[in-house]
Every structure is written in structure tokens, then in C-alpha cells.
Amino acid sequence: MSTGFTVIRDNTPESAIPKGAVVAMGNFDGVHLGHRAVIGAALAMGRARGVPALAVTFEPHPRKFFSPNTPQFRLTDETNKLRLLAATGLAGAVVMTFDKARAGTTAQDFIHHDLIRRLGISGIAVGYDFHFGKGRVGSPSLLVSEAPRLGIEVDVQAHVDIEERPVSSSAIRMALAEGEVTDATTMLGGPWFVTGKVIHGEKRGRDLGYPTANIRLDKHCGLKHGIYAVRVGKGAQRFDGVASFGRRPTFDNGAPLLEVFLFDFKGDLYDTVLDVAFIGFIREELKFDTIEALIRQMDDDSAKARAQLAAAPDAFPQLGAIG
């Protein structure tokens, strides 16, 4: 786990910004293998120069600014993105507010004001398809062409392919929408996870012998409704379990809810913040005619979840502490 991971924001005094650092720039939604190639290039550049390496990223995601009424299924919210970045070896992250002023900044002004004057970078790594600045005019080729005059090093990373398919945040979202969590894990370099506070539910699970920790996910979460093998983080503790994400068709067909049953756990989890990592997909959500049939299915789901988790004993996202 990284220590001393520093977050620099728009209101951070310039005196607190380490001049001469190298940066990996991107939106980094999910911090997948393609993103990690960019980060790895920045880390290597930083080691060679003897300077820290930082991530430069944007919040909210630019898609949210340009299409505020379009549902946005984010793989990681800001906090979890930073936790993932903090575990890569980076010294910190620069979180730039993406608002009207940022959207209207020309690529040249962004390079000269934000990257050179304010951050004082000595090098930058980007992905082959990353664009920035007003009208998305800024590109890897622009950075390469400007590099000699600016006195900075530029590294452009090609796309990362798995079985001849480029890794991307959109491909991971599609995999999760289809319940293909194994494919998502492969592209991410670790299990996809969500974080949320345990809320009070209808307590039906307790009556069924399966008391659950209920978490309301973002309303735009695009994960396929169904039953999953999960590994849960409660601080530094880890627990295996089985989870249902969906509308509970046997009972109320209501708003989507994540219901997690932890194996071999006793205790009160209300108001506790949990990390829930999705290790395997078990089945689609079903409606049962009787409670007895539901319980039999839950017993079978639990056995399958235990088997999937036993086959992946160390599967859990690598998370760092945010300083």
C-alpha cells in the first residue's frame, strides 16, 4: 500500500506543488490495464529523472459536464479512483475541476498554464487516444510536437489488447452489463468493486436465514442484475460472501439494491462502509413461487460462491491510502 499519497486540487497553493514532477494524464475511470501502462511509463520516467510521478485527472468526468442529462455509469467514483491510483506507486494526483472554464481552455493554454507554469512538469505520459482542451484539439501528437520547445519528455502509450481486443473503460462497462465479471477483472487488472454504507432494509434475509448487508448503489450503475460471488472489505478485514444485485422480483420488484450475505460473520454492520469486490457471476435474478424454493436456491448459490471464491483466494483490488 502506498503512503503519503498527496492530492493536489485547483485551490492548492503553488508552493505546495512539487515542481519538476512527471505526470500521467487521463480520466482513469476504473484505472484499468491501459491506464496502468500510462502510469507505468510515468513511474519509469520519474525514476530515471529522480523526480516524483503524479497522476493528472479530471472531476467530474468530462462526459458528465458535456452530457449532464445522459446517464453515466462510472466504474469508479472520485474517491475509489484515487484509492486505486494511490496503490500504483504514484506520489500523488492532481485533480482538476472540469467546469465551463476548463472546457473552454484551449489546448495550448492548458499546456502552458496548467502543465508548465502551475505544475512545472518535466515529463508527461498519455494514452494514444487521450484528447484535451477546447474542442478536444489537444492530442498526443500536439504534446510530442511541443516537447522540444517546452523542454519536457513525452511518452505516448499504445492501446493494450487482450485477445486482440483493446482494453477500455467502455469495454469494461459492457462486460459488467452482461455479468461478465471475469472479463472485467482481466481488463481492470483486479476485481471491479463498489463502496457504500450499509443501510436498513426489510430484514427479510434474516427471516430466511440469510441476513444481508444492504447497500444502495449509484442509480446509474450498469451492473447486470443477478447473483454474484463477492469478497468484502471492512477496513483491513476481508470476508467472503454471496450478493444479489437487482429488484427482488420474488418480493417487491423495487429499486435496485445490493444485498450482501457474508459467510461466517456475526455482528452489526449498519452504517458501516464496505468495499464489495465482484469475483464471479452465478446466475440471473429470478422470481420464485415459494419461499422454500428461494431458500433452496440461496443454499445452492452460496455453495457456488464459496467454490468460486476458494478458486481465487487473493482476489481483491489493490487500494492505497489517500493522504
Side-chain angles (χ1 to χ4, degrees):
M1 178 180 291
S2 299
T3 57
F5 185 83
T6 302
V7 179
I8 298 167
R9 299 188 183 274
D10 293 350
N11 60 357
T12 300
E14 284 196 35
S15 59
I17 298 174
K19 302 297 183 179
V22 301
V23 298
M25 187 164 68
N27 291 312
F28 299 125
D29 187 24
V31 195
H32 57 59
L33 292 182
H35 298 145
R36 290 173 188 271
V38 175
I39 292 165
L43 288 168
M45 194 187 301
R47 285 193 296 269
R49 290 174 168 267
V51 297
L54 310 171
V56 170
T57 191
F58 305 88
E59 288 292 339
H61 195 290
R63 286 197 316 268
K64 178 71 173 177
F65 174 82
F66 289 115
S67 303
N69 297 319
T70 301
Q72 307 287 349
F73 172 24
R74 286 189 57 166
L75 298 175
T76 44
D77 61 18
E78 178 181 344
T79 298
N80 281 343
K81 177 169 67 173
L82 291 173
R83 293 170 76 197
L84 287 166
L85 290 172
T88 64
L90 290 168
V94 181
V95 180
M96 296 185 176
T97 302
F98 200 90
D99 52 15
K100 185 177 180 179
R102 185 80 64 196
T105 300
T106 67
Q108 289 284 0
D109 282 348
F110 179 80
I111 292 171
H112 288 275
H113 178 271
D114 293 283
L115 297 182
I116 302 299
R117 194 164 76 214
R118 177 165 166 77
L119 297 181
I121 70 168
S122 61
I124 184 169
V126 292
Y128 72 101
D129 60 347
F130 185 76
H131 289 78
F132 60 94
K134 184 178 180 180
R136 291 170 53 83
V137 171
S139 65
S141 60
L142 175 63
L143 289 169
V144 170
S145 67
E146 290 285 286
R149 186 165 63 85
L150 297 172
I152 63 172
E153 182 178 354
V154 176
D155 186 297
V156 180
Q157 287 291 303
H159 54 77
V160 172
D161 294 346
I162 295 177
E163 297 180 352
E164 300 183 355
R165 183 178 61 172
V167 172
S168 68
S169 298
S170 58
I172 295 167
R173 282 189 282 270
M174 289 178 60
L176 293 172
E178 296 169 359
E180 301 289 347
V181 294
T182 301
D183 284 351
T185 296
T186 300
M187 289 187 279
L188 286 165
W192 181 69
F193 76 107
V194 296
T195 302
K197 182 180 290 188
V198 178
I199 62 174
H200 288 272
E202 299 296 327
K203 298 181 175 57
R204 294 192 188 96
R206 182 181 302 172
D207 296 334
L208 300 174
Y210 284 89
T212 59
N214 303 315
I215 298 173
R216 189 77 67 188
L217 302 188
D218 184 275
K219 64 180 180 180
H220 299 312
C221 178
L223 178 68
K224 181 181 178 70
H225 290 182
I227 310 302
Y228 294 85
V230 297
R231 183 158 289 129
V232 176
K234 178 179 178 286
Q237 296 177 290
R238 302 288 179 262
F239 301 94
D240 287 353
V242 62
S244 167
F245 177 61
R247 298 182 180 276
R248 306 163 303 286
T250 301
F251 296 106
D252 58 12
N253 205 30
L257 185 69
L258 179 64
E259 300 172 284
V260 184
F261 172 67
L262 300 183
F263 304 141
D264 312 314
F265 176 84
K266 302 290 184 183
D268 182 358
L269 290 171
Y270 291 122
D271 293 327
T272 300
V273 175
L274 301 178
D275 295 315
V276 182
F278 293 80
I279 310 301
F281 180 75
I282 296 174
R283 64 171 174 86
E284 295 187 3
E285 193 172 40
L286 299 172
K287 183 175 182 178
F288 294 89
D289 294 329
T290 66
I291 297 301
E292 291 74 20
L294 172 60
I295 293 174
R296 285 195 299 271
Q297 184 62 61
M298 292 169 72
D299 291 342
D300 184 63
D301 295 339
S302 295
K304 289 178 178 176
R306 285 183 184 272
Q308 291 185 8
L309 292 160
D314 300 318
F316 199 77
Q318 294 297 309
L319 304 172
I322 305 170

